[in-house]
Amino acid sequence: MLQWTLWAAWELEPHAANVMYHAKMLPENQRDPKVLAQASTSTDTALAVLNGALQKGGGHLVGNRFTVADLNVVSCLYFLRFTPEIMDKYPAVRAFYDATRARPNAKAAFALRGD
């Protein structure tokens, strides 16, 4: 679980955050297409790794069950909510994200955020 948590923090989160900022969140005059392109490439690389792991793990990352590793990775995938086409290229990642967001406690937590 620690391995996936650290992987998410280093290999997914910074790139997914840059995709979010430079594709949607920053004012248009502050968006950098070069940063977006690099972040998109790095995010694709990370999602390919994640997709393979989820396929091998039956839809989860550790022990074929929902763990804190899944929760941590999904938290990083949340940055991609404004650019769903990125996740859509990776069916296991898309299914993982959707299934996790559909959990009752996740729905309640995201409702607190207004999502």
Side-chain angles (χ1 to χ4, degrees):
M1 286 181 243
L2 178 61
Q3 174 187 343
W4 280 110
T5 297
L6 294 173
W7 176 87
W10 286 100
E11 300 297 328
L12 179 60
E13 184 176 19
H15 310 297
N18 271 333
V19 167
M20 177 182 69
Y21 291 128
H22 291 276
K24 300 290 180 183
M25 295 292 289
L26 290 172
E28 285 195 39
N29 66 340
Q30 294 179 18
R31 296 178 192 174
D32 185 335
K34 290 179 184 176
V35 171
L36 178 58
Q38 188 278 327
S40 296
T41 298
S42 296
T43 299
D44 274 333
T45 300
L47 293 181
V49 169
L50 180 59
N51 200 70
L54 290 167
Q55 288 172 334
K56 287 182 185 177
H60 296 288
L61 294 170
V62 178
N64 201 25
R65 62 189 173 88
F66 187 78
T67 68
V68 70
D70 300 300
L71 185 60
N72 291 336
V73 171
V74 164
S75 295
C76 294
L77 290 173
Y78 184 68
F79 289 120
L80 301 174
R81 68 192 179 278
F82 300 122
T83 52
E85 65 278 4
I86 293 175
M87 258 193 287
D88 291 344
K89 295 186 280 186
Y90 303 95
V93 173
R94 170 50 70 193
F96 170 72
Y97 181 75
D98 291 344
T100 302
R101 289 288 311 265
R103 296 173 69 88
N105 288 338
K107 285 182 179 181
F110 284 106
L112 293 172
R113 296 178 57 124
D115 289 351

